[in-house]
Amino acid sequence: MGNDGVQTELLIKEKAKILFFQKGLLNATTQQIADEAGVNRALIHYYFRSRDLMLDLLLEETLQEKKARTRAFLVSDLSFREKIARFIDAVVDWGLNYPYLDNFIISETARNPDKIKSFCAKDNVKSSDLIREGLEAEIKKGAIAPISAEHFMVNLVAMCNYPLLAKSVLQTIHGMTDAAYQKFLHERKNVIYASIFNEDMPKIYEKNGN
Amino acid sequence: MGNDGVQTELLIKEKAKILFFQKGLLNATTQQIADEAGVNRALIHYYFRSRDLMLDLLLEETLQEKKARTRAFLVSDLSFREKIARFIDAVVDWGLNYPYLDNFIISETARNPDKIKSFCAKDNVKSSDLIREGLEAEIKKGAIAPISAEHFMVNLVAMCNYPLLAKSVLQTIHGMTDAAYQKFLHERKNVIYASIFNEDMPKIYEKNGN
DNA sequence: CTTTGCGTTAACAAAATTGTTAAACAAAAA
DNA sequence: TTTTTGTTTAACAATTTTGTTAACGCAAAG
């Protein structure tokens, strides 16, 4: 047989993810993807049938991986504060690789609201349910001001994700170099943790700090 | 003369803004815009020359309006807490109308990084500079834990904007109806204020609460 | 060596989208 | 009424993009 098909398929997916989720090119054409991967455009149809099907697959895979890397900490048997610390760490680190993933999902969802529903249908456990117990304990202790689990999670995810999403905008507004923005994002891990618990994040989790 | 050209131009802009910033259809075609406005597609070229030029104009106008409605409070001579309260109120209210504006800017910026620079070049005063003094006073009082003005602003904007951006996703995850999500967003005004100052937002600003 | 089958490619076809233009139209001005 | 001017429309042209197909290549199996 000719070449190894599996490798080519992986290559195309890899490069497509870079275009969509890393570079934020929401409307990357099949030609652009093929160029990025250095293969003939027809191969995209050979392996994925159509551009849309490839997008579905990429989203499916990538969301699965993100969930495994981030949400996993919330279902662990770590202490509440450790859960949150590791979650922040993981979400920011993940976002440094694929800053535009959320942006992509949001746009796709606007275009086709039903698509996101099928993705969400798979995990019917809301992340807010995973931290409710621990959160309420902290509230009872007086360590955190009263807040619902839903609002708490939205605050948390918002503070982690927004600066990743809006990277290019914030970077321009604040006149930061790429390096400065990277540093800013790593600082944020501690800032977010501190804004919740009013104390510094355990040093262990600042592994990528600059 | 035929019809009133100014009115038609306004109509097209209005409907285009709805498609782009309200419905989140980032790639709305000139045909879709024309349909939405109930006019012939050629009129879009008659009034705006090209799709791209229309986009630039829409962004320019809309960002200008948003700035006037939100950032204005930060430059006022209100007290720090009042500034923040009104800012939160204005940003969330604005976002209820145009939830996808940020999403749109982010995508456009990824496609053409220089475009956003020209927009930002106009107001060279960073919003973080506008609140630094007041923030530092609160920190000195011990009312807010130490945090840089940049991180404080990013946290604030993130908590306000992210749930608007991610509306369709969060709504699906949490299984909320449109009405429930609206209520959730209005609740957030107080939640955000409380998470910063550890006290309820003055009732005055919860004008649209449910 | 020949055959078989997957992987790859170039060329083609079809659809969607943008931009242009000349003609039609409607109302005010002459 | 006729002219003029700005607006609107349908038809056309050009470009972009997706999807298909038939031929080619190459390595393993027979």
Side-chain angles (χ1 to χ4, degrees):
Chain A
M1 304 167 192
N3 208 334
D4 184 348
V6 177
Q7 229 168 358
T8 309
E9 188 179 346
L10 284 176
L11 176 70
I12 293 173
K13 285 199 290 192
E14 186 64 29
K15 296 301 187 182
K17 285 177 187 174
I18 288 176
L19 278 183
F20 288 126
F21 308 141
Q22 203 170 93
K23 298 192 180 173
L25 301 177
L26 244 74
N27 307 351
T29 65
T30 51
Q31 188 60 60
Q32 280 178 283
I33 297 165
D35 289 348
E36 188 86 5
V39 301
N40 188 287
R41 191 174 60 83
L43 285 184
I44 290 172
H45 292 93
Y46 178 73
Y47 285 111
F48 307 101
R49 202 90 191 145
S50 76
R51 184 182 182 276
D52 263 358
L53 286 175
M54 184 179 68
L55 277 187
D56 286 350
L57 186 64
L58 292 180
L59 258 188
E60 172 73 34
E61 276 190 20
T62 311
L63 286 179
Q64 202 65 36
E65 195 192 337
K66 180 180 183 181
K67 200 166 78 174
R69 286 212 203 168
T70 58
R71 209 176 137 151
F73 291 115
L74 299 186
V75 291
S76 70
D77 55 0
L78 294 167
S79 76
F80 179 70
R81 292 193 180 210
E82 279 176 281
K83 276 185 187 174
I84 301 300
R86 287 185 193 253
F87 181 76
I88 293 170
D89 185 64
V91 171
V92 173
D93 278 348
W94 167 270
L96 285 167
N97 253 328
Y98 287 156
Y100 291 102
L101 176 60
D102 277 30
N103 196 37
F104 191 89
I105 296 169
I106 291 164
S107 298
E108 277 297 299
T109 304
R111 227 180 33 133
N112 182 357
D114 292 328
K115 194 174 280 185
I116 189 70
K117 285 180 190 166
S118 60
F119 282 123
C120 290
K122 286 162 191 165
D123 61 334
N124 38 19
V125 183
K126 306 172 198 170
S127 47
S128 49
D129 288 339
L130 297 173
I131 52 93
R132 178 168 289 111
E133 208 179 335
L135 174 65
E136 283 171 357
E138 292 276 347
I139 292 173
K140 195 161 284 176
K141 277 200 303 181
I144 293 181
I147 185 172
S148 79
E150 285 78 11
H151 280 296
F152 178 85
M153 271 312 288
V154 169
N155 279 355
L156 179 59
V157 172
M159 286 191 289
C160 290
N161 274 336
Y162 188 79
L164 296 163
L165 273 181
K167 179 193 169 196
S168 45
V169 179
L170 293 178
Q171 200 173 327
T172 305
I173 289 175
H174 291 91
M176 289 174 169
T177 63
D178 275 5
Y181 200 73
Q182 288 270 330
K183 189 182 166 195
F184 181 73
L185 287 175
H186 280 298
E187 280 172 12
R188 284 196 64 73
K189 292 179 184 175
N190 189 53
V191 167
I192 295 167
Y193 187 92
S195 82
I196 293 172
F197 295 112
N198 282 304
E199 70 177 32
D200 281 348
M201 193 185 222
K203 286 288 174 195
I204 293 168
Y205 306 115
E206 299 177 22
K207 55 192 176 196
N208 296 316
N210 198 329
Chain B
M1 307 169 191
N3 208 334
D4 185 348
V6 177
Q7 230 167 359
T8 309
E9 188 179 345
L10 284 175
L11 175 71
I12 294 173
K13 285 198 291 191
E14 186 65 29
K15 296 300 186 182
K17 285 177 186 174
I18 288 177
L19 279 182
F20 289 125
F21 308 140
Q22 204 170 92
K23 299 192 178 172
L25 301 177
L26 243 73
N27 307 349
T29 64
T30 51
Q31 188 61 60
Q32 280 177 284
I33 297 165
D35 288 349
E36 188 85 5
V39 300
N40 187 286
R41 192 175 60 82
L43 285 184
I44 290 171
H45 293 93
Y46 177 74
Y47 285 111
F48 306 102
R49 201 90 189 146
S50 78
R51 185 181 181 277
D52 263 359
L53 286 175
M54 184 179 67
L55 277 186
D56 286 350
L57 186 63
L58 292 180
L59 259 188
E60 172 74 33
E61 276 189 21
T62 311
L63 285 179
Q64 202 65 36
E65 194 190 339
K66 182 181 182 181
K67 200 166 80 176
R69 287 213 204 167
T70 58
R71 208 178 141 152
F73 291 116
L74 299 186
V75 293
S76 70
D77 55 1
L78 293 167
S79 76
F80 179 69
R81 292 192 178 209
E82 279 177 278
K83 276 185 186 175
I84 301 301
R86 288 187 192 250
F87 182 75
I88 292 169
D89 184 63
V91 170
V92 173
D93 278 348
W94 168 269
L96 286 167
N97 252 330
Y98 286 157
Y100 291 102
L101 176 59
D102 277 30
N103 198 34
F104 190 90
I105 295 169
I106 291 163
S107 299
E108 278 296 300
T109 304
R111 228 179 32 133
N112 182 357
D114 292 329
K115 195 175 280 187
I116 189 68
K117 285 179 190 166
S118 61
F119 281 123
C120 290
K122 285 163 192 164
D123 62 332
N124 37 18
V125 183
K126 308 171 195 169
S127 47
S128 48
D129 289 339
L130 296 174
I131 51 93
R132 179 168 288 112
E133 207 179 338
L135 174 64
E136 284 171 357
E138 292 277 344
I139 292 173
K140 195 160 283 176
K141 277 200 303 183
I144 293 181
I147 186 174
S148 79
E150 284 78 12
H151 280 297
F152 178 84
M153 269 314 288
V154 169
N155 279 355
L156 179 59
V157 171
M159 287 191 289
C160 290
N161 274 336
Y162 188 79
L164 297 162
L165 273 182
K167 179 193 167 194
S168 45
V169 179
L170 293 177
Q171 199 174 327
T172 305
I173 289 175
H174 291 91
M176 289 174 169
T177 63
D178 275 4
Y181 199 73
Q182 287 270 330
K183 189 183 166 195
F184 182 72
L185 286 175
H186 279 298
E187 280 172 13
R188 284 196 62 73
K189 292 179 185 176
N190 189 53
V191 168
I192 295 167
Y193 187 93
S195 82
I196 294 172
F197 295 111
N198 283 304
E199 69 175 35
D200 281 348
M201 194 184 220
K203 288 286 175 194
I204 291 168
Y205 305 116
E206 298 176 25
K207 54 192 174 196
N208 296 317
N210 201 327

